[in-house]
Amino acid sequence: MPVALWLYLASYIDRANIGNAKVLGLANALHLTSSQYNWALSIFFIGYVLFETPSNIIIRRTSPRWYIPALTILWGLICALFATVKSASGLLAIRFFLGFAEAGFLPGIVYWMSCWYPRSVLGRRFGILYSTVSLTGAFGGLLATAIHALDGTHGIAGWQWIFIVEGTITAGFGIIAAFVMSAYPQTAHFLNEEERRIVLLTNEADRAEKGSEGFSGKQIRSAFTDWRTYVWALAFIGIYIPVYSVILSLPSVVTGLGYKGTTATLMACPPYGLGFIIVLLAGWTADKYGRLFYHYAASIVVVIIALIVLMAVENLVVRYVMFFFVMFMFIPVSICWAWLAANLAGPNKRAAAMGFVFSVGNIGGTVSGQIYRAEWAPRYVQGHAINIGCYIIALVAGAALWWSYKTDNERRDRAANQVVKRTGVHDLVGEDLGDLGDRHPSFRYYL
């Protein structure tokens, strides 16, 4: 968990720091038009989408211990090189390569964590991990403001220092991770034999996952023949477009409330603080009470209501308060990570399906940079309306998945003449799901 946390925090800071750098001098220094800046946001996800699926297959073929740190070092160095950019075209080019280098990290880290923990505790683990995104919004803004104080030092502008310092820190994290990461429980240097046996038996009892399971091309292909994989991708697009659009544009959107420059950056921090807390709480309640779809749907409804109020109300205080409720947007993402990982049996299928779902979902990232456009300021009514539409799509996709899982569990229960427990956990020690994976009659889906 500590390794995953600090690397993920670094990845989001490096990805989103362009928003803070923009209001702290980047846009003026490079003479960016609003269209050029929006494309700089979007082009990141083109490289991201292209490499996510093959990257997760590569991580299964090789080892997370070396692959994830190598990616971290590479994108950290690219982030630091942002300081050398002199034009809009240069910014577009380096944003593309940053996306390409960082693409394999998120699906890789989520897959890696899912190999360590049983499904009943994934909610809080992914909640802790994803809460760092909201922490990035709060801490990232404060860090960028603090680094900007170096403005003019050694003839380097403050916005350039932001990329240099944050990129260098990330590369350092990657080097440290290469020495402390363990690929899987069966090779973990910090576990003794008894602890290793407990971890492996727990995962086997939960979903018949064997620590010795090797690479299987047939299981990887099964990820692409399962129709749910594509519905999951649709759900991810629906929840990722609003999240990315707000993360990338909140400092600019806050300027529509009358705040400028450093003040706008700082005023964007408190809502992220609430986001940090509620994601942690949602992860805890998801593990304790189950009902992952209910967590998913309820949080989406809260965000939709907040966006509607932002569209309808002109009072600046009310609109600022609504941004706190918009932070419920983080909950569906962490819940989806846990829900998706819980319902994919077999490490090969899980790696491939996660890579594909994250890849297609992040196509939404190419759109997100176009949502809060400068010409729609200061109310951004059109941007809020687009995000509402995305959430409606996500609700429909999530409901379809929930219903299919529910009916499959009921059908398997009837066939096996047994009553499934509320959590859907079955003791699968000694069971071999084979290439069927989660399609095996003994497997039960989480709802």
Side-chain angles (χ1 to χ4, degrees):
M1 281 302 299
V3 175
L5 281 173
W6 85 57
L7 294 184
Y8 191 57
L9 178 61
S11 77
Y12 248 92
I13 288 178
D14 290 345
R15 182 187 312 181
N17 57 13
I18 190 173
N20 294 315
K22 177 200 174 188
V23 300
L24 294 173
L26 170 67
N28 291 333
L30 301 185
H31 307 291
L32 295 178
T33 65
S34 61
S35 177
Q36 288 171 332
Y37 176 72
N38 286 335
W39 273 111
L41 298 182
S42 297
I43 201 170
F44 169 91
F45 294 98
I46 296 177
Y48 210 80
V49 167
L50 289 174
F51 194 54
E52 275 188 306
T53 302
S55 178
N56 243 36
I57 296 174
I58 291 171
I59 200 174
R60 178 62 191 160
R61 190 73 173 179
T62 57
S63 171
R65 179 180 182 184
W66 303 113
Y67 191 70
I68 290 175
L71 290 179
T72 307
I73 295 169
L74 180 60
W75 94 64
L77 294 176
I78 292 175
C79 180
L81 289 173
F82 269 69
T84 66
V85 170
K86 304 297 183 184
S87 65
S89 58
L91 181 65
L92 290 172
I94 200 166
R95 281 283 293 179
F96 171 82
F97 285 109
L98 179 66
F100 194 83
E102 198 177 321
F105 173 75
L106 179 55
I109 208 80
V110 172
Y111 161 73
W112 177 60
M113 288 181 61
S114 71
C115 294
W116 283 79
Y117 301 106
R119 296 181 293 171
S120 59
V121 298
L122 282 178
R124 76 192 78 171
R125 263 69 179 185
F126 287 140
I128 292 171
L129 182 66
Y130 197 62
S131 68
T132 59
V133 176
S134 52
L135 197 61
T136 299
F139 176 70
L142 295 173
L143 180 61
T145 303
I147 296 173
H148 188 261
L150 295 172
D151 187 27
T153 303
H154 301 297
I156 300 174
W159 67 267
Q160 292 174 305
W161 276 115
I162 292 173
F163 291 113
I164 292 171
V165 173
E166 293 180 357
T168 303
I169 291 173
T170 295
F173 281 172
I175 294 171
I176 295 171
F179 288 97
V180 300
M181 275 187 70
S182 294
Y184 300 109
Q186 58 268 30
T187 59
H189 58 83
F190 58 88
L191 297 177
N192 60 39
E193 285 301 320
E194 179 66 14
E195 292 167 339
R196 187 176 295 111
R197 189 179 70 86
I198 291 172
V199 173
L200 293 175
L201 280 175
T202 300
N203 285 328
E204 184 177 351
D206 180 44
R207 50 186 166 192
E209 190 155 306
K210 310 294 193 297
S212 58
E213 191 165 346
F215 184 83
S216 169
K218 186 174 182 179
Q219 288 185 21
I220 286 176
R221 288 191 295 273
S222 73
F224 301 100
T225 58
D226 188 341
W227 66 270
R228 291 190 182 100
T229 301
Y230 303 96
V231 180
W232 270 114
L234 184 63
F236 266 55
I237 290 177
I239 61 177
Y240 266 77
I241 289 177
V243 168
Y244 280 138
S245 65
V246 171
I247 288 174
L248 293 172
S249 305
L250 189 56
S252 298
V253 174
V254 170
T255 61
L257 302 179
Y259 302 104
K260 305 294 181 185
T262 302
T263 304
T265 302
L266 294 176
M267 289 300 292
C269 296
Y272 282 116
L274 175 64
F276 173 75
I277 295 171
I278 59 178
V279 170
L280 291 176
L281 289 175
W284 181 80
T285 57
D287 282 348
K288 183 174 178 61
Y289 302 107
R291 306 187 185 280
L292 299 180
F293 172 68
Y294 293 167
H295 283 76
Y296 172 84
S299 55
I300 287 178
V301 170
V302 171
V303 181
I304 289 176
I305 293 172
L307 292 172
I308 291 173
V309 174
L310 282 169
M311 294 170 62
V313 175
E314 295 186 8
N315 183 281
L316 296 182
V317 175
V318 173
R319 290 173 63 199
Y320 182 69
V321 170
M322 284 302 104
F323 281 115
F324 286 85
F325 291 96
V326 169
M327 293 301 115
F328 277 76
M329 68 182 183
F330 293 122
I331 294 176
V333 178
S334 65
I335 292 297
C336 273
W337 290 0
W339 197 13
L340 175 62
N343 289 336
L344 291 168
N348 292 286
K349 180 181 180 180
R350 190 163 66 252
M354 281 184 166
F356 178 79
V357 168
F358 276 85
S359 178
V360 176
N362 277 305
I363 292 175
T366 64
V367 178
S368 64
Q370 312 298 325
I371 289 180
Y372 290 107
R373 304 178 67 88
E375 56 265 33
W376 294 342
R379 295 282 302 281
Y380 296 99
V381 172
Q382 298 93 326
H384 297 325
I386 292 171
N387 281 340
I388 289 173
C390 292
Y391 275 128
I392 291 173
I393 293 172
L395 269 177
V396 172
L401 289 165
W402 172 79
W403 182 255
S404 72
Y405 289 144
K406 182 174 181 291
T407 54
D408 267 8
N409 281 353
E410 291 171 349
R411 183 169 60 251
R412 292 174 186 182
D413 288 340
R414 288 193 299 268
N417 194 26
Q418 62 183 13
V419 179
V420 69
K421 297 180 180 179
R422 175 184 61 83
T423 59
V425 177
H426 291 253
D427 189 341
L428 296 176
V429 172
E431 186 80 67
D432 184 7
L433 303 185
D435 290 330
L436 287 175
D438 50 81
R439 298 177 183 179
H440 193 282
S442 295
F443 187 85
R444 294 299 181 273
Y445 295 107
Y446 268 40
L447 305 177

